[in-house]
C-alpha cells in the first residue's frame, strides 16, 4: 500500500493530493483512536474528570458541524450551556490551547480545503463562512496563514498539477 501511495503521490497526473493526504490522516487518527480504546491498559490515565472530557468532545463535535455559523467562543459555550470562561479552562486542560485558537485553526483548515477544491469563489466562501465581507475574509485568512487567499491558491496550484 505504501509503494502504491508513493507512486500516486509522485505521479505528474495526480490530482486532489491534498484530499488524499487529509483522508490518509483521518484514517490514521481513526485507527489510532480505535487502538487506544481497544487496549485501555496501554493508555495513560486521563487528566480531569470524565465530565471535562465529555464537554470537550461535545465542543469538538459542535465545532465540526457549526464552524461556518460562528467563530465566537460564546456561541459554542452557549451550545454546551456553560460559560465561555469554563469552556476555555476545559480546552486549556485537554489541549493546552485556547478555545479561540482551536476554532481559528479548524476554520482555517476548512478554508484551505475549500480554496484548494477551486469550486467556489472567494466571495461565495466569505458568505458561506459568515464573514461580513470579502475584505474581512481576506484579512482573517492572512492573519492566520501569513498569506492572502489568492496567494495561497497560487502556492497550491503547482502541487495539484
Amino acid at each position: 500500500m505504501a509503494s502504491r501511495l508513493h507512486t500516486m503521490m509522485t505521479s505528474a497526473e495526480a490530482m486532489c493530493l491534498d484530499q488524499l493526504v487529509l483522508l490518509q490522516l483521518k484514517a490514521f487518527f481513526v485507527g489510532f483512536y480505535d487502538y487506544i480504546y481497544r487496549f485501555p491498559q496501554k493508555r495513560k490515565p486521563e487528566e480531569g474528570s470524565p465530565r471535562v472530557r465529555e464537554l470537550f468532545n461535545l465542543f469538538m463535535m459542535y465545532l465540526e458541524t457549526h464552524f461556518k455559523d460562528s467563530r465566537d467562543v460564546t456561541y459554542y459555550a452557549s451550545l454546551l450551556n456553560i460559560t465561555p470562561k469554563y469552556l476555555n479552562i476545559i480546552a486549556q486542560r485537554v489541549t493546552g490551547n485556547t478555545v479561540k485558537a482551536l476554532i481559528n485553526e479548524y476554520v482555517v483548515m476548512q478554508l484551505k480545503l475549500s480554496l484548494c477544491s477551486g469550486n467556489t469563489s472567494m466571495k461565495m466562501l466569505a458568505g458561506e463562512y459568515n464573514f461580513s465581507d470579502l475584505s474581512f475574509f481576506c484579512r482573517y485568512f492572512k492573519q492566520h496563514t501569513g498569506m492572502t487567499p489568492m496567494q495561497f491558491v497560487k502556492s497550491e496550484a503547482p502541487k495539484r498539477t
Side-chain angles (χ1 to χ4, degrees):
M1 183 174 149
S3 66
R4 179 89 168 125
L5 185 60
H6 181 271
T7 304
M8 287 175 57
M9 297 295 268
T10 56
S11 171
E13 304 93 36
M15 302 186 64
C16 305
L17 288 179
D18 296 331
Q19 277 75 17
L20 271 173
V21 170
L22 181 67
L23 291 171
Q24 285 290 335
L25 283 171
K26 284 183 178 182
F28 168 77
F29 286 116
V30 167
F32 185 67
Y33 176 84
D34 182 55
Y35 174 81
I36 287 174
Y37 281 91
R38 271 195 286 144
F39 302 104
Q41 67 277 11
K42 296 182 181 182
R43 186 173 24 153
K44 261 180 26 174
E46 291 181 12
E47 299 213 6
S49 67
R51 177 72 177 149
V52 166
R53 178 55 68 183
E54 177 187 357
L55 286 170
F56 180 76
N57 289 341
L58 278 172
F59 161 68
M60 291 305 292
M61 184 184 74
Y62 287 141
L63 179 59
E64 286 180 25
T65 55
H66 298 283
F67 67 94
K68 290 182 181 179
D69 301 333
S70 178
R71 294 173 303 281
D72 186 37
V73 176
T74 306
Y75 175 81
Y76 293 98
S78 67
L79 289 174
L80 295 166
N81 295 316
I82 59 175
T83 65
K85 184 176 179 177
Y86 185 53
L87 179 55
N88 208 37
I89 289 169
I90 289 170
Q92 287 276 351
R93 200 177 286 168
V94 175
T95 66
N97 289 318
T98 64
V99 174
K100 190 67 175 164
L102 293 172
I103 293 169
N104 288 333
E105 188 177 322
Y106 191 81
V107 169
V108 168
M109 179 188 70
Q110 293 296 331
L111 283 170
K112 285 179 176 181
L113 286 172
S114 295
L115 286 167
C116 283
S117 72
N119 297 336
T120 311
S121 73
M122 284 187 223
K123 189 171 184 175
M124 288 179 66
L125 272 179
E128 189 178 322
Y129 281 75
N130 281 318
F131 287 95
S132 55
D133 57 25
L134 184 58
S135 175
F136 181 60
F137 166 72
C138 292
R139 280 194 317 265
Y140 177 88
F141 192 85
K142 185 170 184 170
Q143 177 184 5
H144 294 286
T145 63
M147 60 180 92
T148 66
M150 188 59 79
Q151 289 170 331
F152 175 78
V153 169
K154 286 179 182 176
S155 73
E156 291 297 309
K159 296 176 186 174
R160 287 185 276 155
T161 59

